[in-house]
Amino acid sequence: MKTAHLISGSFFDGPASMNKLVTFLNKLAHGFSASFLETNNLKEEYGESSGVSISIQGLNKAFDGKPILKNINLNIEAGETFSIIGPSGTGKSLLLKHIAKLELPDSGQIFVDGHNIHTNNGVPERSYRYSMVFQSSALFNSLTVGENVGLWLREKRVRRESRIRRIIHEKLSLVGLAGTEGMLTSELSGGMRKRVAIARSLAMNPDLILYDEPTAELDPVTSDELAKVIQSLKIKLNLTTIIVSHDLNFALYLSDRVAMMDNGEIIEIGTPEELKKSQNKKIRDFIYTTTKGIKEGK
Amino acid sequence: MTKKLVPINPFHSIGHKILSTAQGTGEMIALLLETVYYCKEAPRNLSSIYRQVNDIGIGTLPIAMLMSLFVGMVLSLQTGSELAMYGSQEAIGAIVGLSMVRELGPVMTSLLVAGRIGSAMAAEVGAMQVYEEIDALKTLEINPVRYLAMPRLIACLLSVPALVVFAVFIGVIGGGVVAEVNPKINVPFSVYYDNMIRALSYKEVLKGLLKALVFGGIIAQVGCYVGFKTKGGARGIGESTTRSVVLSFLLIMFANYLLTRFMI
């Protein structure tokens, strides 16, 4: 998909200005016909979601010489709901941003369905669609709910306008917000904003959906509602889901498997039941806390 | 705990400043080239461009005209009074016209747009950067440069020269009214007008518009660049706003010198 190439060689790639200029010249040389081609390709590619497998090998990332992610190795199966839990500041969200291609690793590789997502050697790097639900929801305040949900569809022109409106309605219905298309995002509560963000992600029919702290700033009842939405999507849609959260009960309730991160490293991976029975002191300290954890023995 | 003070090496800090300036320049050039590249997709973003033109052009028009009216009036008053001492006040039309078309119209209007719109651009894009909306665009496969910077660049390129035309027109009228009404100057409007038309050529007008075009590009690029580089919450957004105004002013003045130097 040409768009992925264009985005990957953008101003946002980092401080290496020369690389950006070289990339730009490559774009000039090869990219002018891209916009026409990509529209046609996308029309064919806008199919149903199908989960993708993810393999992370030896991923390292440091900021100002301080290692944040240390030799991360992880395998996630297609269609799996996988959570990454751990204390604040351990690099969970940073790991998610690497999978979403918002950060480049210092070393190591990430493979989606066997394709290295950071290689850009002319081979189509991305035959899958991914989307991310951000901690802050990241809705566009200048747009209405419907315009937010339909943004990708309209930008990529994957369907006619009448069909796009139907898709927006369908996706908002999936998250229990049918009929809110005309509302401004500033009129929404925190939980509604999260659900609109999920609907916006679902509009892409993603094969992989990433949630960054989905329950942050939400009350327990709204967190429960959100968990039900994600659970129902898990049943209805065949997509791979990765959740980063320090909300333990939320993660254990939804996940097929859970990874515990501490100090930039993955210290254990297992099913929720296996994690609950773990004898690792750090995991026990995290899981069996007094106020937000689960009760010992349950 | 007392923090240990580390002596600052002046060569290190000068070198760091040079490197960061060079990097910033490179990034701005890269952003400009990428924005220009995406101008081919302008027809797809007409509604966004229209919204920006509305904000930049129509939103700024009343204040730009008011400012220009007073600039023209003051220019006429100051220059006319001096000329009257030598009995040459009839030249006032040419002086006000040329000054407004060549310098004051483009520069003053651009500074106004930089202060009013450039800072708002930096704050809006900066807020989008801080609140992860730019990242959201990237995950939606929407290039932020195409979606945010390109419409703003095109809108500025269209709006600033248009504003300058209005500003110069109003400024010249203001100067003419003062020249006629002020007893010290006392130059009839028809004389003022004839004098100005004789002095002005299409070439002069085009030079002024070229300046406005360049300044418009600077305002959009600086606003977007500073916005994209925003870090650190509300404080960062505030700093970006100030930075965009200062940087735009400096670059407009620098570009004005260069353009004047090569167009004389």
Side-chain angles (χ1 to χ4, degrees), chain B residues 223-235:
Chain B
C224 291
Y225 172 74
V226 172
F228 284 138
K229 299 297 280 183
T230 303
K231 284 178 187 163
R235 188 189 168 98

Side-chain angles (χ1 to χ4, degrees), chain A residues 100-166:
Chain A
K101 293 178 67 177
L102 296 172
E103 291 283 350
L104 285 170
D106 293 341
S107 64
Q109 291 163 323
I110 301 173
F111 297 91
V112 172
D113 274 349
H115 294 279
N116 189 338
I117 64 168
H118 292 118
T119 310
N120 196 359
N121 54 5
V123 180
E125 63 190 49
R126 188 176 155 177
S127 56
Y128 68 102
R129 288 183 299 270
Y130 69 88
S131 62
M132 184 162 169
V133 177
F134 290 84
Q135 186 171 347
S136 60
S137 301
L139 297 180
F140 304 110
N141 291 327
S142 56
L143 306 179
T144 62
V145 167
E147 285 167 344
N148 264 283
V149 176
L151 184 62
W152 182 84
L153 297 161
R154 290 193 172 112
E155 282 291 320
K156 300 297 170 190
R157 298 175 173 181
V158 292
R159 289 288 183 272
R160 290 180 187 281
E161 184 56 32
S162 57
R163 178 76 185 110
I164 287 175
R165 276 196 227 109
R166 277 208 303 280

Side-chain angles (χ1 to χ4, degrees), chain B residues 31-32 34-54 56-57 113 117 121 145-162 212-221 224:
Chain B
L31 177 62
L32 174 66
E34 196 170 344
T35 312
V36 169
Y37 168 79
Y38 280 115
C39 284
K40 73 189 171 78
E41 299 201 19
R44 280 180 60 189
N45 293 269
L46 283 180
S47 61
S48 181
I49 294 168
Y50 172 77
R51 204 162 46 234
Q52 294 297 328
V53 167
N54 201 38
I56 300 164
V113 175
I117 298 296
M121 256 182 218
V145 175
R146 179 182 68 73
Y147 190 74
L148 297 172
M150 182 270 287
R152 283 165 174 78
L153 177 69
I154 291 179
C156 272
L157 293 178
L158 293 172
S159 301
V160 176
L213 197 73
V214 173
F215 299 160
I218 288 172
I219 294 163
Q221 281 308 109
C224 291

Side-chain angles (χ1 to χ4, degrees), chain B residues 10 25 39 49 55 60 67 74 92 102 106 108 119 122 142 182 184 202 204 206 210 224-225 248 254 260:
Chain B
T25 309
C39 284
I49 294 168
D55 284 352
T60 313
M67 183 195 73
V74 169
I92 186 72
R102 277 181 184 171
M108 296 295 283
S119 58
I142 298 168
N182 191 283
K184 273 189 185 171
Y202 283 115
E204 294 297 336
L206 285 176
L210 178 66
C224 291
Y225 172 74
S248 297
F254 179 62
T260 309

Side-chain angles (χ1 to χ4, degrees), chain A residues 3 6-7 10-12 15 17 20-21 24 27 31-32 126 130 134 136 139-140 152 155-157, chain B residues 23 26-27 33-34 37-38 40 44 131-133 135-142 144 146-147 228:
Chain A
T3 319
L6 295 181
I7 291 169
S10 164
F11 162 76
F12 293 93
S17 298
K20 288 172 203 158
L21 283 173
F24 169 75
K27 282 181 201 172
F32 268 101
R126 188 176 155 177
Y130 69 88
F134 290 84
S136 60
L139 297 180
F140 304 110
W152 182 84
E155 282 291 320
K156 300 297 170 190
R157 298 175 173 181
Chain B
Q23 184 184 318
E27 285 176 346
L33 293 175
E34 196 170 344
Y37 168 79
Y38 280 115
K40 73 189 171 78
R44 280 180 60 189
Y131 299 117
E132 297 180 309
E133 289 173 37
D135 282 346
L137 282 176
K138 288 187 219 169
T139 59
L140 290 168
E141 296 179 11
I142 298 168
R146 179 182 68 73
Y147 190 74
F228 284 138

